Amino acid sequence: MTILYDEGQQAIATESRRVLEARVSKDDLLPLLESVGDYHRSFWDTAKEQGWTALALPEAQGGLGLGLVELGLIAHQAGRSLSGAPFLTSNFGAAKAIEIYGTDAQKARWLPGLASGEAIGAIAFAAGPDALPGQPDVTLTGDLLVGVASAVSGGLAADIAIVLANGPGMPALTLVELAGVERSAVASFDNSRCLADLHFAGTPAETLAVGHAARDAALHVLALQAVVTAHEQTGGAEVLMEIARDYALTRRAFGQPIGAFQSVKHRIAELYGLVELARANCIHAAAREGQPDFITAAAAARLSATEAYDTAARDCIQIHGGIGVTWELGLHLHMRRARSLAIEQGSSLFWEDVLVDRLAGEAA
């Protein structure tokens, strides 16, 4: 597809931005930083009310039958407004795992609830430096899971989880209902992510894929989530660039706006370049869903969006000077979110390895 959105997609972006700007503010988000286990329920209620949870799922299971491009538009606006819940991404990942690899019975049981947002899904791997470890910490024996899935985003509120486990001599991708599973809240610098350690002690699990197919399926689910997250990161970087620009035009020093100084204007210009590169990579990756080069495109989008958001969070605070680090201004919310998103769905080191391996394979 072109890197330009069509009229319908632009309408989705405009309306979602209007709704989120009206319903989400930093005053709602700041208290969440000091409360472990809570999330911005107003955001999640809005996502369900607006049908965003159903956007990219099949109509036969209660979805709207749109795609990753449209969901990316919502995620972009969520990034701009600092959505205080991780479930838009995790529900999509869990639902796609079931849609692609699950049985008809599993689809009928879980997809309608995930599409409506009444059920919450989580991806219970990719929390550490190695997103797809050779030896996961969870073991599958028969149809029972034993072990701990650490720092699962959304794990405190999730109803189901997709878990990568050690099967008998091979990895297995499994679907687990979390009712009755012990959860330990993980305090973090972005508590709205609802991180939790999931303790499996003979927990029943349903197998989605085994062997090499399980690892391929896990990577595909991660790539789908990575594209959504990259859109969210790009949205955050974009709004930080705009905040820095506006401040540089109004804050005066030595008789002129600070934006007149090269050290400031060059930083903002560099942010613009990073944001536009990330945006183009995100659109390209979303449009390549289902194509042979999708994983490659997802890795590129993830890497460029991570760099854009991290750089924008740092430079925007720097441009603001001392006021930039105050609690009330709230720029630290973006810094915290930038760091949180940078390690969810695999770190930059992981995606660099994926990208190099894919490009090397294509060249060979």
Side-chain angles (χ1 to χ4, degrees):
M1 68 172 277
T2 175
I3 61 170
L4 299 176
Y5 294 116
D6 63 31
E7 185 176 341
Q9 292 162 344
Q10 290 175 1
I12 291 174
T14 300
E15 180 62 13
S16 58
R17 179 171 177 175
R18 182 192 66 79
V19 169
L20 287 173
E21 287 182 347
R23 300 189 185 184
V24 179
S25 73
K26 70 176 186 298
D27 294 331
D28 301 324
L29 302 174
L30 285 170
L32 296 176
L33 297 179
E34 301 177 309
S35 174
V36 178
D38 202 4
Y39 59 90
H40 189 210
R41 297 177 186 275
S42 178
F43 165 77
W44 188 234
D45 290 342
T46 296
K48 294 187 289 186
E49 169 195 307
Q50 296 290 318
W52 298 339
T53 54
L55 201 68
L57 299 181
E59 293 183 56
Q61 275 83 34
L64 298 180
L66 297 176
L68 195 50
V69 173
E70 289 77 16
L71 182 60
L73 286 167
I74 303 297
H76 182 93
Q77 303 307 324
R80 286 185 58 96
S81 65
L82 278 168
S83 62
F87 312 132
L88 195 65
T89 301
S90 65
N91 260 35
F92 173 68
K96 293 300 285 187
I98 296 170
E99 178 196 341
I100 299 172
Y101 307 106
T103 64
D104 290 341
Q106 290 166 338
K107 295 175 188 178
R109 181 179 181 190
W110 291 112
L111 289 185
L114 291 170
S116 68
E118 295 308 313
I120 293 175
I123 300 299
F125 54 91
D130 185 0
L132 295 175
Q135 294 293 323
D137 295 330
V138 179
T139 300
L140 178 67
T141 302
D143 60 353
L144 302 178
L145 286 180
V146 176
V148 179
S150 301
V152 176
S153 179
L156 277 176
D159 299 295
I160 61 170
I162 306 299
V163 182
L164 185 64
N166 279 318
M170 63 183 67
L173 191 67
T174 63
L175 167 63
V176 185
E177 188 171 358
L178 296 180
V181 171
E182 180 186 350
R183 315 180 201 204
S184 301
V186 177
S188 72
F189 46 70
D190 188 358
N191 281 323
S192 65
R193 307 309 287 174
C194 294
L195 299 177
D197 294 338
L198 306 181
H199 301 264
F200 301 113
T203 306
E206 302 173 26
T207 301
L208 299 176
V210 295
H212 291 298
R215 293 187 65 83
D216 290 344
L219 178 59
H220 185 68
V221 170
L222 279 186
L224 289 167
Q225 289 199 138
V227 174
V228 178
T229 299
H231 279 85
E232 187 174 351
Q233 291 171 301
T234 303
E238 179 185 69
V239 76
L240 285 172
M241 175 192 68
E242 294 170 0
I243 292 170
R245 175 203 64 198
D246 293 346
Y247 186 75
L249 291 174
T250 56
R251 177 72 168 90
R252 299 180 67 85
F254 304 104
Q256 60 184 325
I258 63 172
F261 298 108
Q262 284 190 349
S263 61
V264 174
K265 70 170 67 174
H266 286 183
R267 284 195 181 194
I268 296 172
E270 288 167 2
L271 289 182
Y272 177 79
L274 290 174
V275 168
E276 292 308 309
L277 285 172
R279 188 200 312 277
N281 280 329
C282 285
I283 299 172
H284 175 69
R288 299 305 294 170
E289 181 184 7
Q291 301 301 315
D293 63 344
F294 172 66
I295 302 290
T296 304
R302 176 77 164 126
L303 290 168
S304 59
T306 299
E307 181 182 4
Y309 201 11
D310 275 353
T311 304
R314 180 196 66 215
D315 285 1
C316 186
I317 290 176
Q318 185 70 25
I319 288 169
H320 278 72
I323 196 175
V325 298
T326 60
W327 179 268
E328 292 78 12
L329 191 63
L331 291 180
H332 59 92
L333 288 165
H334 277 289
M335 177 65 80
R336 293 165 188 263
R337 183 60 49 82
R339 285 287 79 216
S340 295
L341 294 182
I343 58 176
E344 291 184 11
Q345 289 94 56
S347 67
S348 291
L349 292 175
F350 170 77
W351 288 108
E352 285 172 1
D353 287 342
V354 169
L355 185 61
V356 169
D357 290 344
R358 295 278 165 161
L359 292 177
E362 292 172 8

